[in-house]
Amino acid sequence: MNAEKLFEEAKKYIPGGVNSPLRAFKPYPFFVERGEGPYLFDTDGNKYIDYCLAYGPLILGHADPQVVNALNKQASLGTAYGAPTEGEITLAKEVVDRIPSAEKVRFVNSGGEATMSAIRVARGFTGRDKIVKFEGAYHGAHDYCLLKKGSTTEAIPDCKGIPLDTAKNTLIIPYNDEDALIKLIDEEGENIACIILEVIMGNIGFIPPKPGFLELLREITEENGIVLIFDEVITGFRLSRGGAQEYYNVTPDLTTLGKIVGGGLPMGAYCGKKEIMDVTAPVGPVYQAGTFSGNPMSVTAGINMLKQLDDNTYSNLDEKGTYLRESMEDIIEDLDLNIKPVGAGSMYQVYFNPNDVVNSNDAKASDAKRFLIYFKELLKEGIFIPPSQFECNFLSTTHTTEDLDQTIITIEKALKIAFEK
């Protein structure tokens, strides 16, 4: 069945025809039949070079043979037990070995569950209620963080269904704004349990921290007894072996993980200092539980993915990312366009914006209509990126030089069309 018919059928049974709003675009999304390496194949017979990669977890591409073989073996032994396995210890050791802040780790079922749990742990550890997040940052679709800035630093719900009372303990300031951070801590420091941030804001495109901003965060939270949480659901094991905290050499108190840690299967984790982690039940008073937490399928996939990610992997990915971004810069210069690609390692995006993007307000000032033309032209030519410039694009180890060269040629065509209209 082709995509149009499948979408009409899906809408009868699934709200909006999709199980995540990120997958919706007009007139209808394509429907995937299978993935292989850097490619997706849809039900209409089309092949795409994939830079969405399930929004980040598939750093080894689709259907990595080692991961698939391990999963087939594990599936024959059972998919869930409701009891501990040795694999959980193996994966926990991998996380602790790689992530600088990790002394202990608790596995959960998604990145959103990890951030929700880490915030609860921070509150339990400090005995304080208020949290700080940065404007435009996404930490999962739970009530703690699905909030936006009100008239001051106080948060208001970002969607229906969240009570105002839930929002009252969340404070929001712009990312990379040192003055706003210092002012907020001066006013509210003794009431704040934690500050949570995406080190690189990857759910608004790609916004890195300004030089010195992470160091200020680390200093100011330590001085005020505030738990610093790095949301590395995207950057964990993606930007480097030890994530963004290794890349920028700043260590938080807690770290949340998702995507890559599950090897392409549903999985999340939060990890950090022993004294903070040990407030989690059954050791401590902060309750957290889940039927599929640490399930053997996700654990197996995670182990077999992480064990393939060594220093050579990241060097190779850095080379590919640099080549793609520099080629895009050359195209943009040749076309005399006032836009700029951004990124690091195997992550990239291009804002249709003449100005530097340092926070979410800058990002939202970008030309969304022109970007959508660009997205659709790429898709038409067999290149799949997320259908929003407020998401990040990703490379995998399986993307070849030929894939990148084909992509660069297609990007030039798409940009020409986008800026003609």
Side-chain angles (χ1 to χ4, degrees):
M1 193 180 295
N2 66 27
E4 185 175 7
K5 290 180 179 178
L6 284 170
F7 187 57
E8 290 303 314
E9 189 73 2
K11 286 191 292 184
K12 296 175 185 176
Y13 304 102
I14 302 169
V18 292
N19 280 303
S20 173
L22 298 176
R23 300 170 195 168
F25 56 87
K26 294 179 179 179
Y28 48 83
F30 64 88
F31 281 68
V32 176
E33 192 170 80
R34 65 185 179 94
E36 179 184 331
Y39 310 119
L40 283 177
F41 301 83
D42 72 12
T43 54
D44 288 281
N46 299 306
K47 174 184 176 182
Y48 305 93
I49 303 175
D50 182 15
Y51 295 96
C52 178
L53 294 172
Y55 291 88
L58 303 180
I59 194 169
L60 301 177
H62 294 276
D64 172 71
Q66 184 171 319
V67 173
V68 169
N69 289 338
L71 285 172
N72 285 337
K73 182 179 178 181
Q74 178 57 54
S76 70
L77 301 174
T79 59
Y81 304 133
T85 65
E86 186 177 352
E88 293 170 70
I89 304 171
T90 302
L91 184 57
K93 286 180 178 178
E94 283 287 332
V95 172
V96 169
D97 179 61
R98 291 165 185 262
I99 300 295
S101 65
E103 294 179 346
K104 288 189 175 182
V105 56
R106 169 62 64 90
F107 295 118
V108 294
N109 295 295
S110 70
E113 187 180 343
T115 59
M116 180 178 67
S117 300
I119 290 168
R120 185 182 298 158
V121 163
R123 284 173 163 155
F125 179 75
T126 61
R128 303 171 182 177
D129 292 334
K130 292 192 175 182
I131 70 169
V132 177
K133 71 180 287 284
F134 290 94
E135 192 171 5
Y138 179 76
H139 302 293
H142 54 82
D143 290 2
Y144 289 171
C145 287
L146 201 59
L147 307 166
K148 62 184 178 181
K149 190 168 175 283
S151 57
T152 59
T153 59
E154 293 180 356
I156 57 175
D158 200 22
C159 74
K160 295 287 186 182
I162 299 175
L164 280 171
D165 276 354
T166 301
K168 69 182 181 182
N169 284 316
T170 299
L171 305 170
I172 300 178
I173 56 175
Y175 192 56
N176 279 323
D177 190 330
E178 294 187 357
D179 292 338
L181 174 63
I182 292 168
K183 182 175 185 292
L184 180 62
I185 299 302
D186 285 343
E187 294 172 351
E188 294 278 2
E190 63 184 12
N191 302 314
I192 295 170
C194 66
I195 296 177
I196 185 168
L197 68 148
E198 293 178 276
V199 184
I200 291 172
M201 291 182 68
N203 274 293
I204 194 70
F206 184 99
I207 302 177
K210 285 182 175 180
F213 187 67
L214 295 181
E215 289 80 1
L216 174 62
L217 270 167
R218 180 64 285 182
E219 180 183 352
I220 208 166
T221 50
E222 284 182 341
E223 289 175 350
N224 290 274
I226 298 167
V227 175
L228 181 60
I229 304 173
F230 280 3
D231 179 349
E232 294 223 44
V233 169
I234 292 176
T235 54
F237 315 115
R238 165 60 72 175
L239 200 57
S240 73
R241 187 179 184 275
Q245 59 198 261
E246 179 184 77
Y247 188 85
Y248 289 107
N249 195 30
V250 177
T251 305
D253 300 304
L254 293 176
T255 299
T256 63
L257 302 168
K259 299 188 186 290
I260 290 173
V261 76
L265 270 66
M267 170 81 99
Y270 62 97
C271 55
K273 294 179 178 178
K274 292 178 184 178
E275 63 267 27
I276 302 177
M277 290 297 297
D278 278 345
V279 303
T280 304
V283 182
V286 176
Y287 193 73
Q288 187 283 321
T291 298
F292 290 100
S293 295
N295 76 82
M297 295 297 285
S298 295
V299 164
T300 295
I303 292 168
N304 283 275
M305 183 170 283
L306 289 184
K307 286 191 172 179
Q308 295 183 69
L309 303 180
D310 57 21
D311 290 340
N312 289 332
T313 306
Y314 292 105
S315 295
N316 177 264
L317 286 168
D318 286 347
E319 288 177 11
K320 291 178 182 180
T322 299
Y323 176 63
L324 183 58
R325 287 188 296 272
E326 288 181 350
S327 298
M328 292 174 71
E329 287 172 359
D330 291 341
I331 292 167
I332 288 166
E333 184 178 348
D334 289 344
L335 296 177
D336 195 26
L337 302 178
N338 201 5
I339 60 175
K340 185 170 70 174
V342 292
S346 58
M347 303 168 65
Y348 77 96
Q349 184 53 286
V350 56
Y351 288 109
F352 282 41
N353 191 328
N355 302 310
D356 289 338
V357 175
V358 300
N359 57 44
S360 65
N361 287 333
D362 294 337
K364 289 172 183 175
S366 303
D367 190 336
K369 291 182 179 178
R370 205 178 290 273
F371 183 90
L372 189 58
I373 296 169
Y374 167 75
F375 160 75
K376 288 186 175 180
E377 289 300 321
L378 289 180
L379 193 66
K380 191 189 303 181
E381 297 293 327
I383 307 294
F384 178 50
I385 63 171
S388 168
Q389 65 190 310
F390 307 133
E391 295 291 339
C392 198
N393 305 325
F394 302 96
L395 287 153
S396 77
T397 58
T398 58
H399 284 89
T400 66
T401 301
E402 291 74 20
D403 293 325
L404 299 181
D405 287 339
Q406 182 181 337
T407 301
I408 290 160
I409 292 168
T410 307
I411 285 173
E412 183 171 13
K413 291 178 183 177
L415 287 173
K416 284 179 179 177
I417 293 171
F419 281 87
E420 281 173 358
K421 297 184 178 181

